[in-house]
Amino acid sequence: MSEQPPYLRIADELRQRIAEHVWEPGDRLPSRAQIGQECGVGENVVRRAQELLISQGVLEGRAGSGTYVAEPRERVRVVRSSAREQPSGSPFRQDMKALRLQSDWESRTDAKVPAPAEIATRLGIAEGEPCVRTTYEFLADGKPVQLSTSWEPYAVTGGTLVVLPEGGPHAGAGVVNRMAEIGVTISHAVEQPEPRHATAEEASLLGIQKAALVTHIRRTYYSDEGRPVETADIVVPAAHCEIVYEIPINR
C-alpha cells in the first residue's frame, strides 16, 4: 500500500487539532512556516493541506489576514428531481421550506444576448443568435448557496408574456410552467454534473475561497418535440450544499 501523501497527513493533523479544540471556530491558525516546522514539512505541503480543508469548509482564508477555523455551517440539501417543478412555485423554494430555511433569490435578465459557441451548441442554434440570459443568486436564510446562469432562445419566447423569466405575470414560475403558458410542453431535462474549482467571481458571490470545490451542473430542458428550449449553468458550493437526485419510478 502506498504511503499517504504528506499534505493529506497534515490535513488530518489540522483536522484533529480542531476536533480536540486546540483551535476553536474563529481562531486564526499559526503561520504556514510555524505549522511546517512543527510537523516537519515544507510550507507548500501546509498550503495544500489548508486548501483541501478550505474546500471542505473546515477552514476559511481571509485575504491579507490569514487562515481561520470556519464557523460550523449546516450543509443545505439541494434536491434534483423531475418532479420538483410544481404549479405552486419554485423547486428551490420547496427545498428550503422543507429545511425550514427562508428562501430568496436575486436575478438579472438581459434580452437579445448573442449566444456563445458552447451555449449555441447546447440549444441547437447558430452561434450569435439572440438569447434571453438570466443570472441568479439563490439565498438560504440570507446566505448564498447556489448560482445559475440561464439561456433561452429569443426565437422561442420573444414577443410573449413569458419572455422575461423574472418579469411579467408569470415571473418566477419556473421554466416548465412558463413554457406551458406559450404552448411548449417540457418533456425532460438532461443534467451533467462535474466537480471543479470556483472562479474568482463565483467565489466572491458565494462567499467561499477561490480554491474551493463546487459542483457545476449543465442542465438543458427539452420540449416534447425534442427541441432544447433552455440551458443553464448551475454552480453549487460543495462545502455548503449536498446534491441529492430523486429518480421517479413509473409503474
Side-chain angles (χ1 to χ4, degrees), residues 164-182:
L164 302 178
E166 298 299 323
H170 305 292
V175 177
V176 174
N177 298 317
R178 286 177 45 250
M179 291 295 173
E181 292 293 331
I182 57 173

Side-chain angles (χ1 to χ4, degrees), residues 15-206:
R15 196 182 285 108
Q16 184 66 25
R17 293 187 188 187
I18 294 170
E20 293 176 351
H21 303 287
V22 175
W23 299 319
E24 300 286 352
D27 285 351
R28 183 179 184 273
L29 268 61
S31 68
R32 289 173 183 166
Q34 183 177 338
I35 293 174
Q37 186 174 11
E38 291 177 6
C39 299
V41 297
E43 290 187 40
N44 284 338
V45 173
V46 178
R47 176 183 56 78
R48 287 193 65 190
Q50 290 182 341
E51 287 177 349
L52 174 63
L53 295 179
I54 288 172
S55 72
Q56 295 173 344
V58 177
L59 300 177
E60 64 178 32
R62 301 178 188 174
S65 180
T67 304
Y68 293 76
V69 179
E71 296 287 344
R73 180 173 172 179
E74 184 178 356
R75 295 178 83 200
V76 173
R77 186 181 180 91
V78 178
V79 179
R80 316 294 302 170
S81 171
S82 61
R84 300 307 290 177
E85 291 226 33
Q86 302 294 334
S88 57
S90 155
F92 177 76
R93 183 161 286 155
Q94 294 177 49
D95 288 340
M96 297 305 102
K97 184 177 181 180
L99 295 170
R100 297 182 180 178
L101 298 174
Q102 181 66 39
S103 63
D104 198 3
W105 59 82
E106 298 175 359
S107 66
R108 173 182 172 178
T109 296
D110 297 294
K112 297 187 177 181
V113 178
E118 181 190 353
I119 297 301
T121 298
R122 285 156 58 176
L123 289 174
I125 60 178
E127 182 178 355
E129 279 196 34
C131 288
V132 177
R133 180 185 63 194
T134 306
T135 57
Y136 294 89
E137 181 178 349
F138 293 92
L139 310 171
D141 280 352
K143 297 179 180 178
V145 294
Q146 180 177 307
L147 304 175
S148 179
T149 302
S150 166
W151 298 79
E152 297 177 359
Y154 188 77
V156 174
T157 61
T160 74
L161 292 176
V162 302
V163 65
L164 302 178
E166 298 299 323
H170 305 292
V175 177
V176 174
N177 298 317
R178 286 177 45 250
M179 291 295 173
E181 292 293 331
I182 57 173
V184 176
T185 301
I186 303 295
S187 64
H188 68 285
V190 174
E191 293 196 344
Q192 179 186 350
E194 64 178 13
R196 63 169 173 78
H197 294 290
T199 66
E201 182 181 7
E202 291 166 348
S204 177
L205 290 171
L206 289 168

Side-chain angles (χ1 to χ4, degrees), residues 4-13 15 45 48-49 52 56:
Q4 186 183 42
Y7 82 96
L8 291 181
R9 177 174 62 83
I10 301 306
D12 287 343
E13 171 66 23
R15 196 182 285 108
V45 173
R48 287 193 65 190
L52 174 63
Q56 295 173 344

